[in-house]
Amino acid sequence: MKDLKQMWNDPPKEYRPVPFWSWNEKLDTKETAWQIEQMDKAGLGGYFMHARGGLQTAYMEDEWMDNVRCGLAEGQKRGMSAWGYDENGWPSGFGGGLVNGLGLKYQQKYLRYERTKDARQTDSTICNLPYEGENLHFYYEVNPFYVDTLDAEVIAKFIEVTHEQYLKTLGPDFQRMAGFFTDEPQISRNGIPWSLVLPQEYQKRYGEELLPSLSALFFETEGFEQVRFRFWQLVRDLFTDAFMKQIYDWCNANG
């Protein structure tokens, strides 16, 4: 019991707080080492090396990696857990702009519709469907600042420009990293999500075409319950496999 009471008063570092450490200025390895020393003196158990607004060092470039190496070395020396953070800001997945910057396929999309008298055709048209004497023009709206987390190829690119880059650049030092923090990956913040892979994946999963049933996602048409259940089940599974499982598998494979 005495040992347990002592642990409450002076717990091992593995049980101490591990804060987000905002890298939000011009990075310098001497300053990085000094701040770790101060966190150690304050009783912290580790830190997440986290790019934040105000960063004046090129993200993921040589100077950035020099400071990551310093963080890993100092953490090992002091018995503190040094964690990576997989994004320049949040939500995780866009690779500091490298992934969504690759174009339409990689960018987040939302399913939208509008009532029109006649069928419409635009660059973002998905389909046109009749409904109550009108036309429903279904199209997607693009958020160019984030990525399509339902598309496995998109997230594979995120892993390539982030996780693989750390592994390649840090070499043996990579194993000193406790792990990666991934922050708030998103399916949607602004309505029903869309992905260019959804029609094909829906057909593959359920043996039916998705596009003729899009009205059911917004209106209580015949059989809408089944369509909505299938759609959201598929969205869940695509996100789980594309984002969570790919990163999980990569981390397992690379220690």
Side-chain angles (χ1 to χ4, degrees):
M1 184 62 68
K2 183 178 180 180
D3 291 340
L4 181 59
K5 289 181 178 179
Q6 180 60 34
M7 283 184 65
W8 279 110
N9 293 329
D10 185 21
K13 287 181 178 176
E14 62 185 302
Y15 298 111
R16 291 171 177 258
V18 181
F20 275 176
W21 178 20
S22 295
W23 286 14
N24 54 6
E25 58 176 338
K26 178 71 173 174
L27 300 181
D28 175 82
T29 54
K30 291 183 180 179
E31 175 70 17
T32 294
W34 180 82
Q35 289 195 22
I36 294 171
E37 179 185 10
Q38 299 309 301
M39 287 190 280
D40 191 14
K41 288 180 178 179
L44 297 177
Y47 38 83
F48 294 94
M49 298 174 283
H50 182 7
R52 294 298 289 256
L55 179 66
Q56 298 171 41
T57 294
Y59 178 63
M60 299 293 287
E61 298 295 335
D62 291 344
E63 197 172 9
W64 170 272
M65 291 296 183
D66 287 342
N67 281 271
V68 171
R69 283 194 188 89
C70 177
L72 297 176
E74 286 293 318
Q76 185 176 52
K77 182 171 72 175
R78 299 175 180 278
M80 303 173 75
S81 57
W83 290 79
Y85 183 98
D86 67 6
E87 194 52 85
N88 184 6
W90 71 91
S92 295
F94 63 98
L98 291 175
V99 182
N100 53 309
L102 292 173
L104 180 65
K105 170 183 171 60
Y106 295 84
Q107 294 166 349
Q108 186 178 50
K109 302 164 196 71
Y110 293 101
L111 178 62
R112 304 290 192 230
Y113 78 91
E114 59 181 347
R115 295 175 182 262
T116 63
K117 182 178 179 181
D118 300 307
R120 290 197 64 197
Q121 191 67 39
T122 69
D123 290 342
S124 60
T125 293
I126 298 171
C127 68
N128 289 272
L129 297 174
Y131 182 73
E132 295 185 343
E134 295 182 298
N135 179 71
L136 294 181
H137 173 232
F138 290 93
Y139 63 98
Y140 56 81
E141 182 178 294
V142 178
N143 171 17
F145 304 107
Y146 193 51
V147 294
D148 180 357
T149 57
L150 306 182
D151 188 330
E153 291 183 15
V154 173
I155 304 308
K157 178 59 69 171
F158 168 58
I159 293 171
E160 177 186 323
V161 303
T162 304
H163 302 66
E164 288 284 353
Q165 188 64 22
Y166 274 111
L167 178 63
K168 176 182 176 182
T169 305
L170 295 175
D173 290 332
F174 179 77
Q175 295 301 327
R176 295 177 173 180
M177 189 181 292
F180 284 108
F181 189 101
T182 191
D183 199 359
E184 301 180 6
Q186 296 173 3
I187 297 173
S188 167
R189 292 185 66 185
N190 194 22
I192 297 177
W194 187 252
S195 171
L196 300 181
V197 305
L198 270 169
Q200 176 184 344
E201 294 296 333
Y202 193 93
Q203 174 73 40
K204 187 190 304 183
R205 171 73 68 89
Y206 304 114
E208 296 180 7
E209 293 186 18
L210 171 61
L211 302 193
S213 300
L214 288 184
S215 301
L217 298 178
F218 296 92
F219 304 99
E220 294 187 1
T221 59
E222 184 178 354
F224 77 93
E225 299 96 338
Q226 184 182 63
V227 174
R228 293 183 187 184
F229 178 84
R230 286 178 168 182
F231 179 85
W232 288 107
Q233 182 185 57
L234 180 61
V235 165
R236 177 202 65 191
D237 292 346
L238 288 177
F239 172 76
T240 301
D241 290 341
F243 197 98
M244 306 308 293
K245 189 174 188 304
Q246 279 201 96
I247 294 177
Y248 173 87
D249 287 345
W250 188 93
C251 289
N252 269 352
N254 290 281

